[in-house]
Amino acid sequence: MLRTIRAFWHDQRGIALILVSITLPAIIGFSLLAIDMSRVNNLHNDLQKGADAFALAGAAELDGASDAIVRADRAIGTLVSNQYAFSTTSGPPPTLLASGVTRRYLRSLPADDNLPIAAANMITDEVADAKLARFVEVTATPVGFGAIFPASFLASGSSNGFNVGAVAVAGFTSGVCDFTPVFMCNPYEMVNGTNDAGGYTLAQAVSVPSVHRRLIELRKVGSGAAAGPGNFGFLEPPSGVGNGAQALAQTIATSKPIGCYSSASVSTKTGQNAGPVQDAFNVRFGIGAGGTFDSPEYGPSANVRKGAKQVKGSANQCPAMNQLSFTEAGTKGLPRDATTPYQGGRMGDGNWDFAGYWSTNFGSVAYPSSWDTTKPTRYEVYRYEISAGLVGTASTGGEIGTPSAGCQPPVTTVDRRLLYGAILNCDALEAGGNDLSGHSTNLPVEAFGSFFITEPVMSASDDASVMVELVDITGRGGQSTLDNFLRDETQLYR
């Protein structure tokens, strides 16, 4: 008997069945958990991808325009749809995520990703503050998920269902590269819904012909001077360029600028009243700077007609400023406007003497007939002279637009008579405590612009003026001529 009991005790036949029977519930449970984890992960991925896509679509419209939020809402509502499965939410599966998202717009993000978004980061007035919206947070409405694993097996009353959601934060960054380190105070800045430029906006200034051809006197911001509409100053040059006045002038004079600037944040440079800056502008007209800018990258424009003749020195010499006569009979540069009623007399009315300029420089040579109906901008005339082969045509006084043979060869890879710079709302920035004649950082840019320099800079003083026409601006209000400089990016931040 004892032997039988001992044999039964040591008999291992069928033990696998016993072990399987004992562990089978655990095996099934772990299998169900693995399946549930896979299902909930797929559902969350679908929700997160949808939230990411909606956030990126909305953020791409946050370009600082007054209708940015309206366009962002339209993008979120119409441009993207995402399908997901594994949800127990009522409704015909699969459900479109577009019908289940909420959004809020932000002006900034907390300094640390671990910090929650606070009221100070949010846009509360989506109409008045639409221009300040830089980020959008999209929340996918949580949807129900029903687990296969019986949670009630672990604890009485436990539910197999729970909600799964997703949140994404995306932002829009815009910048330019190959730009000169110059800023201009927006002459069309709106203050309390109006301005001293006839009420026109920047976008209208590059699209309405009578406004587009207005001449603007940009005056340098001297030490301690207040920055207002029409003034200009300098931005921090790219790292490695140098901090001296000559280094700053070189970045303005060169035809190969290397600076990149973000629309969200630029910094102004101190010591803007630098004498070499006059030469930096004037080399574009084939006016020498005593050998300072004596290399091909500082060459003149292909068309330097300016209403001046060289009256001293060798004919084969790149003219210096004091070797030109701007009063020589029979020479006529691009004229200023008849009257300057705006911005304290620093912005013209757009009525310039095209007929006198053309007859003095080109006599009876034909020009586009449409100019008899709508007077062209000075930049249009300048470009037509190049395209029509009129640069070498002599005026009645003998001036031609071809640079002196003593100068560096003309630069043809870029238009040397165009100046590129940031446009800042200086009134608003100074009201916010920013010193634009000193060193201020993290300044938002209203737009980046191109300006046609109509005549040489006549003075090297602190109040030196640069006479320009506004040619184009970046953004939806522009004419797309600056697209090659733009670097628009949307990215996910959270």
mmCIF file of all heavy atoms in Angstrom, residues 25 87 219 290 306 361 469 477 482 492:
data_model
loop_
_atom_site.group_PDB
_atom_site.id
_atom_site.type_symbol
_atom_site.label_atom_id
_atom_site.label_comp_id
_atom_site.label_asym_id
_atom_site.label_seq_id
_atom_site.Cartn_x
_atom_site.Cartn_y
_atom_site.Cartn_z
ATOM 1 N N PRO A 25 -5.774 30.730 -17.175
ATOM 2 C CA PRO A 25 -6.406 32.042 -16.984
ATOM 3 C C PRO A 25 -5.412 33.201 -17.104
ATOM 4 O O PRO A 25 -5.722 34.245 -17.679
ATOM 5 C CB PRO A 25 -6.982 31.945 -15.570
ATOM 6 C CG PRO A 25 -7.200 30.487 -15.353
ATOM 7 C CD PRO A 25 -6.044 29.823 -16.037
ATOM 8 N N SER A 87 -13.026 52.419 -31.425
ATOM 9 C CA SER A 87 -13.722 53.243 -30.460
ATOM 10 C C SER A 87 -15.126 52.718 -30.240
ATOM 11 O O SER A 87 -15.750 52.181 -31.150
ATOM 12 C CB SER A 87 -13.778 54.690 -30.945
ATOM 13 O OG SER A 87 -14.652 55.447 -30.130
ATOM 14 N N ARG A 219 14.720 108.064 -42.777
ATOM 15 C CA ARG A 219 15.793 108.773 -42.092
ATOM 16 C C ARG A 219 16.382 107.888 -41.012
ATOM 17 O O ARG A 219 15.673 107.221 -40.272
ATOM 18 C CB ARG A 219 15.265 110.073 -41.489
ATOM 19 C CG ARG A 219 14.753 111.043 -42.548
ATOM 20 C CD ARG A 219 14.230 112.311 -41.930
ATOM 21 N NE ARG A 219 15.272 113.046 -41.227
ATOM 22 C CZ ARG A 219 15.031 114.151 -40.520
ATOM 23 N NH1 ARG A 219 13.804 114.616 -40.411
ATOM 24 N NH2 ARG A 219 16.018 114.771 -39.912
ATOM 25 N N GLY A 290 36.558 105.383 -51.780
ATOM 26 C CA GLY A 290 37.976 105.458 -51.468
ATOM 27 C C GLY A 290 38.636 104.099 -51.336
ATOM 28 O O GLY A 290 39.558 103.931 -50.556
ATOM 29 N N LYS A 306 21.290 108.492 -62.251
ATOM 30 C CA LYS A 306 20.956 109.196 -61.022
ATOM 31 C C LYS A 306 20.873 110.710 -61.185
ATOM 32 O O LYS A 306 20.772 111.442 -60.197
ATOM 33 C CB LYS A 306 21.981 108.864 -59.932
ATOM 34 C CG LYS A 306 23.435 109.024 -60.372
ATOM 35 C CD LYS A 306 24.379 108.425 -59.337
ATOM 36 C CE LYS A 306 25.805 108.345 -59.868
ATOM 37 N NZ LYS A 306 25.929 107.268 -60.900
ATOM 38 N N ASN A 361 16.003 112.079 -70.484
ATOM 39 C CA ASN A 361 16.932 110.967 -70.592
ATOM 40 C C ASN A 361 16.795 110.166 -71.883
ATOM 41 O O ASN A 361 17.783 109.605 -72.373
ATOM 42 C CB ASN A 361 16.757 110.027 -69.394
ATOM 43 C CG ASN A 361 17.258 110.635 -68.093
ATOM 44 O OD1 ASN A 361 18.463 110.726 -67.862
ATOM 45 N ND2 ASN A 361 16.341 111.076 -67.250
ATOM 46 N N GLU A 469 11.180 103.817 -52.776
ATOM 47 C CA GLU A 469 9.810 103.370 -53.020
ATOM 48 C C GLU A 469 9.657 101.988 -52.401
ATOM 49 O O GLU A 469 10.561 101.148 -52.521
ATOM 50 C CB GLU A 469 9.519 103.235 -54.517
ATOM 51 C CG GLU A 469 9.192 104.499 -55.247
ATOM 52 C CD GLU A 469 8.839 104.203 -56.708
ATOM 53 O OE1 GLU A 469 9.168 103.113 -57.205
ATOM 54 O OE2 GLU A 469 8.246 105.090 -57.339
ATOM 55 N N GLY A 477 -0.324 89.744 -48.090
ATOM 56 C CA GLY A 477 -0.596 91.039 -48.695
ATOM 57 C C GLY A 477 0.409 91.441 -49.748
ATOM 58 O O GLY A 477 0.233 92.450 -50.424
ATOM 59 N N LEU A 482 9.166 88.271 -53.089
ATOM 60 C CA LEU A 482 10.141 87.964 -52.051
ATOM 61 C C LEU A 482 10.095 86.503 -51.626
ATOM 62 O O LEU A 482 10.725 86.124 -50.638
ATOM 63 C CB LEU A 482 9.889 88.859 -50.821
ATOM 64 C CG LEU A 482 10.067 90.361 -51.050
ATOM 65 C CD1 LEU A 482 9.682 91.135 -49.805
ATOM 66 C CD2 LEU A 482 11.500 90.675 -51.443
ATOM 67 N N LEU A 492 5.516 71.108 -34.784
ATOM 68 C CA LEU A 492 4.851 70.705 -33.564
ATOM 69 C C LEU A 492 5.746 71.039 -32.376
ATOM 70 O O LEU A 492 6.954 70.776 -32.390
ATOM 71 C CB LEU A 492 4.546 69.204 -33.584
ATOM 72 C CG LEU A 492 3.476 68.755 -34.593
ATOM 73 C CD1 LEU A 492 3.478 67.254 -34.710
ATOM 74 C CD2 LEU A 492 2.101 69.267 -34.177
#
